[in-house]
Amino acid sequence: MDTHPQAWSSGGWVWVKNPQYANDSKARVDSKDDVARMSTEWNSLKKSNIKITHRHLIDLATKHNVLHGKWLLNIKADCVKTDWPKVRNAIVDGKLGLVAKISDAPDKRGHVVCIYCPNFLDKDEVLRIRRAIRNDVGLERNSILRFKLDAVTDANIYAYNSALRTTSYDCGGKDDEECSTLISHWEQCTMSEGLKYAEATAAQGEKVTLLREPDNKYDPNAVRVVNGSGQQIGHVAKDKAAILSPKIKEMQEELHSQNMKLVVEGTIISVSDGYQQSVQVEFKEISNETCDAEVAEAEVVILE
């Protein structure tokens, strides 16, 4: 039990809020009526023949103004007495978001902590809070944190009961220790590069595969793009490859431990002057045992 005057217990959680919450320009609520309307449309969508993706949830949340979300982290049971007060005090001091909570009881990973952002579309604020977790609170300095929309929780979607992706943003990790980039799993990203060294070209609408080239002597983050015949059609632009390549590597390592593999595929969505092409990217998680493929629910992997 947290006895701080800004903390209270409710529903198996200890909550804390910034005392200036009501006066903050970013303060807002997801109204019960908006949540109910979103839930009604979500339930209708599930009964349709449409193949549902994470993007459908994003669209419904945006349409119905259900915009709250939270960064998720875990505090080990033996660290909760020291680490939770860091989060609580940062909330009270206005360094994080407006509200946070910690589970009363730990699970196998520890106590679950949610640090809220009132509007997931405000990417600057979402990223600012992630950086503050690292810099002001001093937690999860080298870990990837994931951001989950309240709309996903409202739809009762969890990793244990749904095949849909449950989180919408990633940030941090050993390849982005400064938390400089917000990785989105639902927006469109274009990546282009000159093709003067290409073996072949690809037409608009053609499927391609993206491959890391860690041994590339010019750029260890290089990402090669090949067509269906395995012929190179170009490379991802260097600045975007610097973000994409480490992300692919980290996902590959994570899936390898689960006896799965990652395939990164794309679709050529535009061609400019024959030398630049834009690629819409999909991540596919494939089981080594069944060969079943599951498309990550993100059409987009990178933000500026």
Side-chain angles (χ1 to χ4, degrees):
M1 177 66 181
D2 192 330
T3 59
H4 192 281
Q6 296 300 326
W8 73 97
S9 294
S10 176
W13 300 86
V14 174
W15 296 76
V16 62
K17 71 176 181 180
N18 182 328
Q20 301 301 317
Y21 180 94
N23 300 322
D24 195 297
S25 62
K26 296 183 182 296
R28 56 169 304 281
V29 296
D30 293 345
S31 77
K32 292 182 179 179
D33 288 343
D34 287 339
V35 173
R37 281 189 285 268
M38 187 202 73
S39 298
T40 298
E41 188 167 349
W42 168 247
N43 289 330
S44 297
L45 185 65
K46 288 193 297 182
K47 295 176 183 178
S48 70
N49 294 323
I50 296 173
K51 181 181 178 181
I52 298 175
T53 69
H54 187 81
R55 182 60 195 241
H56 286 102
L57 287 164
I58 296 290
D59 291 342
L60 285 178
T62 303
K63 175 182 177 180
H64 294 287
N65 209 36
V66 181
L67 304 180
H68 272 265
K70 58 267 186 182
W71 285 109
L72 305 173
L73 56 148
N74 297 94
I75 294 179
K76 294 180 180 179
D78 57 355
C79 298
V80 69
K81 290 184 178 180
T82 56
D83 288 353
W84 167 245
K86 295 177 183 178
V87 174
R88 179 199 65 206
N89 293 342
I91 288 286
V92 172
D93 294 341
K95 295 179 179 178
L96 286 176
L98 304 177
V99 178
K101 67 180 182 181
I102 183 171
S103 59
D104 282 338
D107 59 20
K108 61 182 180 181
R109 296 171 297 175
H111 292 265
V112 178
V113 174
C114 302
I115 300 176
Y116 284 84
C117 179
N119 186 349
F120 75 88
L121 298 175
D122 185 351
K123 297 164 195 167
D124 290 340
E125 179 67 0
V126 172
L127 186 57
R128 183 198 68 77
I129 292 172
R130 172 62 184 100
R131 289 172 177 164
I133 295 170
R134 178 191 185 278
N135 299 328
D136 296 318
V137 181
L139 297 179
E140 305 294 351
R141 299 180 66 88
N142 302 310
S143 302
I144 293 178
L145 288 190
R146 308 192 190 282
F147 187 91
K148 183 177 182 180
L149 273 59
D150 278 15
V152 177
T153 303
D154 293 333
N156 194 36
I157 296 174
Y158 297 89
Y160 67 82
N161 68 2
S162 176
L164 288 178
R165 186 178 186 90
T166 59
T167 56
S168 302
Y169 296 125
D170 294 348
C171 186
K174 60 185 179 181
D175 293 308
D176 185 19
E177 294 183 358
E178 299 299 320
C179 298
S180 62
T181 304
L182 194 63
I183 305 296
S184 168
H185 292 282
W186 54 275
E187 295 176 285
Q188 180 174 312
C189 167
T190 58
M191 295 172 290
S192 59
E193 178 67 308
L195 301 178
K196 62 182 179 180
Y197 298 114
E199 299 170 352
T201 60
Q204 187 168 333
E206 186 171 342
K207 298 293 184 180
V208 295
T209 302
L210 284 70
L211 304 169
R212 291 181 62 245
E213 285 189 325
D215 297 326
N216 188 303
K217 64 180 180 180
Y218 299 108
D219 180 10
N221 286 321
V223 178
R224 183 162 56 102
V225 183
V226 300
N227 63 16
S229 299
Q231 296 174 301
Q232 179 177 312
I233 64 168
H235 284 80
V236 170
K238 186 173 182 179
D239 60 332
K240 293 181 172 63
I243 302 169
L244 181 59
S245 180
K247 178 65 178 178
I248 294 173
K249 179 183 177 183
E250 194 147 0
M251 291 183 70
Q252 286 174 330
E253 292 174 348
E254 183 177 341
L255 289 172
H256 180 73
S257 65
Q258 303 173 32
N259 197 29
M260 299 181 72
K261 63 182 179 181
L262 179 75
V263 175
V264 185
E265 296 184 341
T267 304
I268 303 295
I269 57 175
S270 67
V271 179
S272 175
D273 299 328
Y275 288 96
Q276 289 190 334
Q277 296 178 332
S278 295
V279 183
Q280 185 170 321
V281 177
E282 283 185 340
F283 283 47
K284 286 188 177 180
E285 300 173 355
I286 300 177
S287 169
N288 287 330
E289 295 179 354
T290 65
C291 296
D292 291 335
E294 178 181 334
V295 178
E297 303 306 333
E299 297 180 43
V300 183
V301 291
I302 312 225
L303 293 175
E304 295 181 355

mmCIF file of all heavy atoms in Angstrom, residues 271-301:
data_model
loop_
_atom_site.group_PDB
_atom_site.id
_atom_site.type_symbol
_atom_site.label_atom_id
_atom_site.label_comp_id
_atom_site.label_asym_id
_atom_site.label_seq_id
_atom_site.Cartn_x
_atom_site.Cartn_y
_atom_site.Cartn_z
ATOM 1 N N VAL A 271 6.766 4.167 -57.941
ATOM 2 C CA VAL A 271 8.066 4.223 -58.611
ATOM 3 C C VAL A 271 8.266 5.642 -59.110
ATOM 4 O O VAL A 271 7.384 6.222 -59.742
ATOM 5 C CB VAL A 271 8.135 3.232 -59.792
ATOM 6 C CG1 VAL A 271 9.477 3.329 -60.489
ATOM 7 C CG2 VAL A 271 7.881 1.808 -59.309
ATOM 8 N N SER A 272 9.433 6.206 -58.835
ATOM 9 C CA SER A 272 9.716 7.589 -59.229
ATOM 10 C C SER A 272 10.919 7.625 -60.154
ATOM 11 O O SER A 272 12.030 7.286 -59.741
ATOM 12 C CB SER A 272 9.982 8.451 -57.985
ATOM 13 O OG SER A 272 10.375 9.752 -58.349
ATOM 14 N N ASP A 273 10.726 8.006 -61.413
ATOM 15 C CA ASP A 273 11.804 8.180 -62.378
ATOM 16 C C ASP A 273 12.606 6.910 -62.623
ATOM 17 O O ASP A 273 13.695 6.948 -63.164
ATOM 18 C CB ASP A 273 12.770 9.285 -61.932
ATOM 19 C CG ASP A 273 12.067 10.623 -61.805
ATOM 20 O OD1 ASP A 273 11.118 10.865 -62.573
ATOM 21 O OD2 ASP A 273 12.457 11.422 -60.933
ATOM 22 N N GLY A 274 12.072 5.765 -62.167
ATOM 23 C CA GLY A 274 12.775 4.504 -62.398
ATOM 24 C C GLY A 274 13.943 4.262 -61.469
ATOM 25 O O GLY A 274 14.543 3.210 -61.479
ATOM 26 N N TYR A 275 14.277 5.251 -60.610
ATOM 27 C CA TYR A 275 15.429 5.097 -59.731
ATOM 28 C C TYR A 275 15.063 5.062 -58.262
ATOM 29 O O TYR A 275 15.873 4.700 -57.429
ATOM 30 C CB TYR A 275 16.418 6.246 -59.965
ATOM 31 C CG TYR A 275 17.143 6.127 -61.272
ATOM 32 C CD1 TYR A 275 16.691 6.816 -62.392
ATOM 33 C CD2 TYR A 275 18.253 5.295 -61.402
ATOM 34 C CE1 TYR A 275 17.352 6.702 -63.609
ATOM 35 C CE2 TYR A 275 18.906 5.170 -62.610
ATOM 36 C CZ TYR A 275 18.457 5.870 -63.716
ATOM 37 O OH TYR A 275 19.088 5.746 -64.910
ATOM 38 N N GLN A 276 13.867 5.469 -57.936
ATOM 39 C CA GLN A 276 13.431 5.392 -56.557
ATOM 40 C C GLN A 276 12.111 4.656 -56.485
ATOM 41 O O GLN A 276 11.232 4.848 -57.323
ATOM 42 C CB GLN A 276 13.269 6.794 -55.942
ATOM 43 C CG GLN A 276 14.603 7.494 -55.704
ATOM 44 C CD GLN A 276 14.397 8.747 -54.876
ATOM 45 O OE1 GLN A 276 13.335 9.342 -54.873
ATOM 46 N NE2 GLN A 276 15.417 9.133 -54.153
ATOM 47 N N GLN A 277 11.990 3.818 -55.468
ATOM 48 C CA GLN A 277 10.764 3.059 -55.274
ATOM 49 C C GLN A 277 10.374 3.140 -53.809
ATOM 50 O O GLN A 277 11.232 3.151 -52.937
ATOM 51 C CB GLN A 277 10.958 1.602 -55.693
ATOM 52 C CG GLN A 277 11.262 1.453 -57.179
ATOM 53 C CD GLN A 277 11.500 0.011 -57.573
ATOM 54 O OE1 GLN A 277 11.933 -0.789 -56.765
ATOM 55 N NE2 GLN A 277 11.216 -0.316 -58.820
ATOM 56 N N SER A 278 9.084 3.201 -53.551
ATOM 57 C CA SER A 278 8.582 3.212 -52.182
ATOM 58 C C SER A 278 8.016 1.845 -51.849
ATOM 59 O O SER A 278 7.341 1.224 -52.674
ATOM 60 C CB SER A 278 7.509 4.289 -52.023
ATOM 61 O OG SER A 278 8.072 5.573 -52.216
ATOM 62 N N VAL A 279 8.294 1.392 -50.649
ATOM 63 C CA VAL A 279 7.939 0.038 -50.245
ATOM 64 C C VAL A 279 7.091 0.078 -48.976
ATOM 65 O O VAL A 279 7.478 0.716 -48.000
ATOM 66 C CB VAL A 279 9.204 -0.816 -49.967
ATOM 67 C CG1 VAL A 279 8.818 -2.247 -49.615
ATOM 68 C CG2 VAL A 279 10.136 -0.778 -51.159
ATOM 69 N N GLN A 280 5.951 -0.584 -49.024
ATOM 70 C CA GLN A 280 5.138 -0.746 -47.825
ATOM 71 C C GLN A 280 5.522 -2.078 -47.185
ATOM 72 O O GLN A 280 5.513 -3.120 -47.831
ATOM 73 C CB GLN A 280 3.651 -0.736 -48.183
ATOM 74 C CG GLN A 280 2.742 -0.788 -46.973
ATOM 75 C CD GLN A 280 1.304 -0.524 -47.362
ATOM 76 O OE1 GLN A 280 1.029 0.319 -48.199
ATOM 77 N NE2 GLN A 280 0.384 -1.247 -46.762
ATOM 78 N N VAL A 281 5.828 -2.048 -45.889
ATOM 79 C CA VAL A 281 6.480 -3.183 -45.236
ATOM 80 C C VAL A 281 5.519 -3.975 -44.365
ATOM 81 O O VAL A 281 4.649 -3.418 -43.713
ATOM 82 C CB VAL A 281 7.658 -2.688 -44.373
ATOM 83 C CG1 VAL A 281 8.313 -3.847 -43.634
ATOM 84 C CG2 VAL A 281 8.671 -1.973 -45.241
ATOM 85 N N GLU A 282 5.688 -5.307 -44.355
ATOM 86 C CA GLU A 282 4.982 -6.206 -43.454
ATOM 87 C C GLU A 282 6.003 -7.102 -42.759
ATOM 88 O O GLU A 282 6.947 -7.580 -43.384
ATOM 89 C CB GLU A 282 3.995 -7.105 -44.197
ATOM 90 C CG GLU A 282 2.710 -6.442 -44.624
ATOM 91 C CD GLU A 282 1.750 -7.436 -45.236
ATOM 92 O OE1 GLU A 282 2.234 -8.513 -45.671
ATOM 93 O OE2 GLU A 282 0.556 -7.155 -45.285
ATOM 94 N N PHE A 283 5.785 -7.351 -41.469
ATOM 95 C CA PHE A 283 6.594 -8.318 -40.732
ATOM 96 C C PHE A 283 5.770 -9.598 -40.609
ATOM 97 O O PHE A 283 4.621 -9.565 -40.164
ATOM 98 C CB PHE A 283 6.907 -7.807 -39.328
ATOM 99 C CG PHE A 283 7.980 -6.764 -39.287
ATOM 100 C CD1 PHE A 283 7.965 -5.697 -40.164
ATOM 101 C CD2 PHE A 283 9.003 -6.837 -38.356
ATOM 102 C CE1 PHE A 283 8.943 -4.736 -40.123
ATOM 103 C CE2 PHE A 283 9.976 -5.873 -38.305
ATOM 104 C CZ PHE A 283 9.949 -4.815 -39.187
ATOM 105 N N LYS A 284 6.374 -10.738 -40.985
ATOM 106 C CA LYS A 284 5.675 -12.020 -40.859
ATOM 107 C C LYS A 284 6.413 -12.911 -39.869
ATOM 108 O O LYS A 284 7.611 -13.151 -40.012
ATOM 109 C CB LYS A 284 5.578 -12.726 -42.219
ATOM 110 C CG LYS A 284 4.555 -12.108 -43.161
ATOM 111 C CD LYS A 284 4.362 -12.961 -44.400
ATOM 112 C CE LYS A 284 3.272 -12.380 -45.298
ATOM 113 N NZ LYS A 284 3.075 -13.208 -46.508
ATOM 114 N N GLU A 285 5.674 -13.383 -38.877
ATOM 115 C CA GLU A 285 6.218 -14.303 -37.888
ATOM 116 C C GLU A 285 5.816 -15.715 -38.292
ATOM 117 O O GLU A 285 4.628 -16.014 -38.421
ATOM 118 C CB GLU A 285 5.683 -13.950 -36.504
ATOM 119 C CG GLU A 285 6.063 -12.533 -36.078
ATOM 120 C CD GLU A 285 5.400 -12.103 -34.789
ATOM 121 O OE1 GLU A 285 4.560 -12.886 -34.288
ATOM 122 O OE2 GLU A 285 5.703 -11.018 -34.298
ATOM 123 N N ILE A 286 6.796 -16.587 -38.509
ATOM 124 C CA ILE A 286 6.537 -17.920 -39.050
ATOM 125 C C ILE A 286 7.008 -18.980 -38.067
ATOM 126 O O ILE A 286 8.145 -18.949 -37.581
ATOM 127 C CB ILE A 286 7.247 -18.112 -40.406
ATOM 128 C CG1 ILE A 286 6.744 -17.059 -41.415
ATOM 129 C CG2 ILE A 286 7.009 -19.514 -40.946
ATOM 130 C CD1 ILE A 286 7.427 -17.129 -42.749
ATOM 131 N N SER A 287 6.124 -19.925 -37.766
ATOM 132 C CA SER A 287 6.460 -21.025 -36.874
ATOM 133 C C SER A 287 7.368 -22.016 -37.593
ATOM 134 O O SER A 287 7.069 -22.450 -38.709
ATOM 135 C CB SER A 287 5.191 -21.737 -36.397
ATOM 136 O OG SER A 287 5.505 -22.953 -35.742
ATOM 137 N N ASN A 288 8.479 -22.393 -36.971
ATOM 138 C CA ASN A 288 9.385 -23.379 -37.558
ATOM 139 C C ASN A 288 8.774 -24.776 -37.545
ATOM 140 O O ASN A 288 9.181 -25.649 -38.297
ATOM 141 C CB ASN A 288 10.714 -23.399 -36.791
ATOM 142 C CG ASN A 288 11.554 -22.180 -37.092
ATOM 143 O OD1 ASN A 288 11.486 -21.617 -38.172
ATOM 144 N ND2 ASN A 288 12.349 -21.771 -36.114
ATOM 145 N N GLU A 289 7.785 -24.992 -36.670
ATOM 146 C CA GLU A 289 7.192 -26.322 -36.548
ATOM 147 C C GLU A 289 6.060 -26.522 -37.549
ATOM 148 O O GLU A 289 5.953 -27.565 -38.179
ATOM 149 C CB GLU A 289 6.678 -26.526 -35.122
ATOM 150 C CG GLU A 289 7.798 -26.530 -34.075
ATOM 151 C CD GLU A 289 7.259 -26.717 -32.676
ATOM 152 O OE1 GLU A 289 6.016 -26.728 -32.520
ATOM 153 O OE2 GLU A 289 8.060 -26.865 -31.744
ATOM 154 N N THR A 290 5.192 -25.517 -37.688
ATOM 155 C CA THR A 290 4.014 -25.679 -38.541
ATOM 156 C C THR A 290 4.117 -24.940 -39.860
ATOM 157 O O THR A 290 3.309 -25.158 -40.762
ATOM 158 C CB THR A 290 2.768 -25.180 -37.813
ATOM 159 O OG1 THR A 290 2.889 -23.755 -37.605
ATOM 160 C CG2 THR A 290 2.612 -25.856 -36.463
ATOM 161 N N CYS A 291 5.103 -24.034 -39.949
ATOM 162 C CA CYS A 291 5.280 -23.170 -41.122
ATOM 163 C C CYS A 291 4.123 -22.189 -41.305
ATOM 164 O O CYS A 291 4.005 -21.552 -42.340
ATOM 165 C CB CYS A 291 5.469 -23.983 -42.404
ATOM 166 S SG CYS A 291 6.986 -24.970 -42.393
ATOM 167 N N ASP A 292 3.249 -22.096 -40.298
ATOM 168 C CA ASP A 292 2.170 -21.124 -40.357
ATOM 169 C C ASP A 292 2.738 -19.716 -40.232
ATOM 170 O O ASP A 292 3.619 -19.459 -39.421
ATOM 171 C CB ASP A 292 1.157 -21.362 -39.221
ATOM 172 C CG ASP A 292 0.366 -22.637 -39.420
ATOM 173 O OD1 ASP A 292 0.233 -23.070 -40.591
ATOM 174 O OD2 ASP A 292 -0.112 -23.201 -38.423
ATOM 175 N N ALA A 293 2.225 -18.804 -41.033
ATOM 176 C CA ALA A 293 2.709 -17.423 -41.024
ATOM 177 C C ALA A 293 1.645 -16.506 -40.457
ATOM 178 O O ALA A 293 0.466 -16.627 -40.771
ATOM 179 C CB ALA A 293 3.079 -16.975 -42.432
ATOM 180 N N GLU A 294 2.087 -15.595 -39.597
ATOM 181 C CA GLU A 294 1.193 -14.586 -39.038
ATOM 182 C C GLU A 294 1.762 -13.216 -39.346
ATOM 183 O O GLU A 294 2.894 -12.908 -39.002
ATOM 184 C CB GLU A 294 1.056 -14.774 -37.525
ATOM 185 C CG GLU A 294 0.177 -13.718 -36.878
ATOM 186 C CD GLU A 294 0.078 -13.915 -35.379
ATOM 187 O OE1 GLU A 294 0.236 -15.063 -34.923
ATOM 188 O OE2 GLU A 294 -0.142 -12.929 -34.679
ATOM 189 N N VAL A 295 0.968 -12.389 -40.015
ATOM 190 C CA VAL A 295 1.433 -11.052 -40.367
ATOM 191 C C VAL A 295 1.314 -10.150 -39.160
ATOM 192 O O VAL A 295 0.272 -10.070 -38.529
ATOM 193 C CB VAL A 295 0.604 -10.466 -41.525
ATOM 194 C CG1 VAL A 295 1.054 -9.054 -41.856
ATOM 195 C CG2 VAL A 295 0.727 -11.368 -42.749
ATOM 196 N N ALA A 296 2.399 -9.471 -38.818
ATOM 197 C CA ALA A 296 2.322 -8.475 -37.763
ATOM 198 C C ALA A 296 1.306 -7.433 -38.177
ATOM 199 O O ALA A 296 1.193 -7.091 -39.344
ATOM 200 C CB ALA A 296 3.696 -7.831 -37.545
ATOM 201 N N GLU A 297 0.594 -6.931 -37.233
ATOM 202 C CA GLU A 297 -0.558 -6.112 -37.562
ATOM 203 C C GLU A 297 -0.188 -4.703 -37.976
ATOM 204 O O GLU A 297 -1.022 -3.835 -38.064
ATOM 205 C CB GLU A 297 -1.500 -6.063 -36.344
ATOM 206 C CG GLU A 297 -1.941 -7.431 -35.875
ATOM 207 C CD GLU A 297 -2.552 -8.246 -36.983
ATOM 208 O OE1 GLU A 297 -3.098 -7.677 -37.919
ATOM 209 O OE2 GLU A 297 -2.453 -9.467 -36.918
ATOM 210 N N ALA A 298 1.095 -4.464 -38.205
ATOM 211 C CA ALA A 298 1.526 -3.127 -38.572
ATOM 212 C C ALA A 298 1.786 -3.026 -40.039
ATOM 213 O O ALA A 298 2.432 -3.860 -40.614
ATOM 214 C CB ALA A 298 2.796 -2.821 -37.836
ATOM 215 N N GLU A 299 1.264 -2.031 -40.645
ATOM 216 C CA GLU A 299 1.639 -1.714 -42.007
ATOM 217 C C GLU A 299 2.892 -0.839 -41.984
ATOM 218 O O GLU A 299 3.592 -0.731 -42.953
ATOM 219 C CB GLU A 299 0.518 -0.936 -42.714
ATOM 220 C CG GLU A 299 -0.760 -1.718 -42.861
ATOM 221 C CD GLU A 299 -1.796 -0.884 -43.552
ATOM 222 O OE1 GLU A 299 -1.448 -0.211 -44.524
ATOM 223 O OE2 GLU A 299 -2.929 -0.887 -43.089
ATOM 224 N N VAL A 300 3.121 -0.223 -40.837
ATOM 225 C CA VAL A 300 4.184 0.755 -40.746
ATOM 226 C C VAL A 300 5.095 0.401 -39.616
ATOM 227 O O VAL A 300 4.648 0.004 -38.578
ATOM 228 C CB VAL A 300 3.586 2.105 -40.419
ATOM 229 C CG1 VAL A 300 4.641 3.155 -40.388
ATOM 230 C CG2 VAL A 300 2.571 2.390 -41.443
ATOM 231 N N VAL A 301 6.387 0.583 -39.836
ATOM 232 C CA VAL A 301 7.339 0.225 -38.819
ATOM 233 C C VAL A 301 8.191 1.389 -38.349
ATOM 234 O O VAL A 301 8.855 1.291 -37.347
ATOM 235 C CB VAL A 301 8.253 -0.925 -39.285
ATOM 236 C CG1 VAL A 301 7.453 -2.202 -39.389
ATOM 237 C CG2 VAL A 301 8.922 -0.593 -40.608
#
